[in-house]
Amino acid sequence: MMLLNALIVSLLSLFVSAQTAGPLKKYIISAPGINATFIAYGARLTNLYVNDRNGDPQDVVLGYDNSADYVRDDQTIHTFFGPIVGRYANRIKNSTFSIGGVTSHTPANDNVGHDTLHGGKTGYDQRNWTVVSANTTTVTFSLLDQAFEGFPGSVITYATYTVSSGPRWTSRLVSIPLDEPTPIMLANHVYWNLGAFVDSAGSTILNDTLSMPYAARYIEIDNIEVPTGAISTVNGTFLDFTSPKQIGRDIESATNNCGYKCTGYDNAFILDRPRYSGPESTDLSMLTLQSNATGIQLDVYTNQQSLQIYTCNNMNGTTPVKQSQQHANSTTYVEKYGCLVIETQQWIDGINHQEWNQDSYQIYAVDSEPAVVFAQYDFSIMDE
């Protein structure tokens, strides 16, 4: 209790200082070949510039020019542009789970009250994080979660974002339970478009090439995207990205794959690293994404054991892209398949599937190691 009180006092002091600037203040960090902007609201990435094949900087993430628009978004369409989602990312079946015989109930904010999505009605994405430290290449945010949204116990999380030559963006999320055992599964929720809307080909991700060489299995879901418990293989299906493939090649075959009458990808792929690499090793790229429009390539390294891939199936051409991405004479809007979300996380709803043996990766306590989500995003120019 003394430790918790000390942490609360410390965080309140930092919170007062941070609020002088406000949660919507932009923090810009840069290194050779990369420039990124964050705000404390949701510990959110709002802009990320890397050079294209011509050496021109391109903003490759979706968002808004005005930071206040993120607040308005959350109160209306709630797209989750660029924040950390938690305390538990993705879906929780029936908005309930049990730990040590104690059952918890979280807000049923998805599918008309059938499940919890991204931590509940007011998840980490809608919280004002505290700025702990910031300099020219790195910024750290913190959040004290005092049993938010019905989750058991208090948790303190630190999110450190760093850019370096490469160019590279590194995200480190460290969560420490302060009293009760609790599920923790955070994820960065960035909407990527490596084509940066430079032309018609870059306005969607259908022509982009995606490769996930270690994603030979996936978690089956029902028609509201909640896991059934079954694990299947991608071989011979439209979900097979173990070899490089254009995202649009098989997407029309993905009918009812992302929910009832939905066509597109919104799937949790299991990462089975080879035997010479550990289950949480970060030595191999888990995903490669390439844009023919700009020549930009992204490689993702992570310690997580799953990737949720979402092809922006619900975007409908009503949200304009940022000024940094307006390349046409008329306003460009985000169309269906106009972006790709890559969530590095553990197995979706693993807390409700004991047969998967995921507790050691999803349930944490005061006497356990912290929950750590490491993700490294390396940028380069693809081979022509």
Side-chain angles (χ1 to χ4, degrees):
M1 182 60 68
M2 291 180 62
L3 173 60
L4 176 58
N5 290 336
L7 283 168
I8 293 173
V9 171
S10 176
L11 283 173
L12 284 174
S13 175
L14 286 167
F15 181 78
V16 170
S17 176
Q19 293 310 293
T20 303
L24 303 182
K25 175 185 175 180
K26 295 182 178 182
Y27 294 85
I28 301 174
I29 58 177
S30 61
I34 188 169
N35 179 293
T37 303
F38 302 88
I39 59 174
Y41 181 67
R44 187 182 308 259
L45 174 67
T46 65
N47 304 80
L48 195 151
Y49 290 87
V50 293
N51 291 339
D52 63 15
R53 63 163 63 89
N54 299 317
D56 297 322
Q58 301 292 347
D59 190 354
V60 295
V61 301
L62 273 63
Y64 297 108
D65 291 308
N66 186 343
S67 298
D69 285 336
Y70 292 103
V71 181
R72 283 189 282 270
D73 177 294
D74 289 344
Q75 294 169 350
T76 54
I77 56 177
H78 207 171
T79 53
F80 299 97
F81 277 154
I84 293 173
V85 290
R87 174 185 309 190
Y88 195 88
N90 223 310
R91 292 176 170 85
I92 299 175
K93 184 176 182 178
N94 296 327
S95 302
T96 187
F97 58 88
S98 297
I99 299 176
V102 178
T103 299
S104 296
H105 301 276
T106 51
N109 64 318
D110 190 43
N111 288 311
V112 198
H114 283 86
D115 58 90
T116 299
L117 176 65
H118 293 329
K121 293 180 180 178
T122 308
Y124 284 14
D125 62 298
Q126 297 180 71
R127 304 287 177 173
N128 293 334
W129 292 56
T130 298
V131 180
V132 175
S133 176
N135 58 40
T136 58
T137 60
T138 186
V139 59
T140 296
F141 301 98
S142 68
L143 180 69
L144 178 60
D145 172 354
Q146 296 179 278
F148 293 162
E149 302 295 281
F151 286 92
S154 297
V155 175
I156 186 168
T157 295
Y158 294 92
T160 298
Y161 302 131
T162 304
V163 292
S164 54
S165 59
R168 170 180 295 166
W169 170 43
T170 303
S171 170
R172 291 175 294 167
L173 314 179
V174 180
S175 300
I176 304 170
L178 301 177
D179 37 46
E180 300 178 38
T182 183
I184 303 174
M185 188 171 82
L186 307 187
N188 300 110
H189 203 277
V190 178
Y191 285 66
W192 299 94
N193 184 318
L194 300 186
F197 303 92
V198 295
D199 54 23
S200 59
S203 64
T204 75
I205 45 85
L206 295 177
N207 294 319
D208 290 3
T209 300
L210 177 63
S211 174
M212 296 184 290
Y214 305 108
R217 296 189 296 160
Y218 70 98
I219 296 173
E220 289 193 17
I221 53 177
D222 61 19
N223 63 5
I224 59 170
E225 300 187 85
V226 172
T228 64
I231 306 295
S232 294
T233 59
V234 302
N235 186 41
T237 75
F238 54 80
L239 291 164
D240 192 351
F241 288 93
T242 53
S243 297
K245 181 178 73 174
Q246 280 193 321
I247 295 173
R249 195 187 81 178
D250 298 328
I251 201 166
E252 291 303 321
S253 299
T255 302
N256 295 321
N257 176 61
C258 47
Y260 180 62
K261 291 187 177 180
C262 173
T263 299
Y265 295 102
D266 194 3
N267 300 95
F269 293 86
I270 295 170
L271 299 175
D272 293 309
R273 293 166 173 84
R275 65 180 185 180
Y276 55 81
S277 180
E280 298 177 279
S281 294
T282 60
D283 55 332
L284 299 170
S285 173
M286 294 292 106
L287 177 149
T288 300
L289 181 65
Q290 299 173 321
S291 168
N292 289 316
T294 60
I296 296 172
Q297 174 173 314
L298 168 63
D299 282 280
V300 178
Y301 299 77
T302 182
N303 68 336
Q304 300 296 282
Q305 295 177 308
S306 176
L307 293 173
Q308 181 79 22
I309 301 299
Y310 169 60
T311 49
C312 296
N313 317 309
N314 296 323
M315 301 305 290
N316 59 8
T318 60
T319 302
V321 303
K322 292 175 288 186
Q323 285 300 312
S324 57
Q325 297 164 331
Q326 297 286 356
H327 300 281
N329 293 327
S330 57
T331 301
T332 299
Y333 294 84
V334 186
E335 305 289 345
K336 184 178 182 179
Y337 309 136
C339 42
L340 185 75
V341 178
I342 304 166
E343 299 172 49
T344 59
Q345 58 192 35
Q346 299 295 349
W347 294 21
I348 172 178
D349 198 34
I351 52 175
N352 282 318
H353 291 277
Q354 297 303 307
E355 71 275 20
W356 293 348
N357 297 315
Q358 287 293 299
D359 281 5
S360 61
Y361 300 107
Q362 301 196 17
I363 307 297
Y364 294 87
V366 291
D367 57 351
S368 73
E369 72 279 8
V372 178
V373 181
F374 175 85
Q376 175 182 302
Y377 304 86
D378 285 0
F379 299 90
S380 59
I381 300 301
M382 58 185 282
D383 294 333
E384 300 291 346

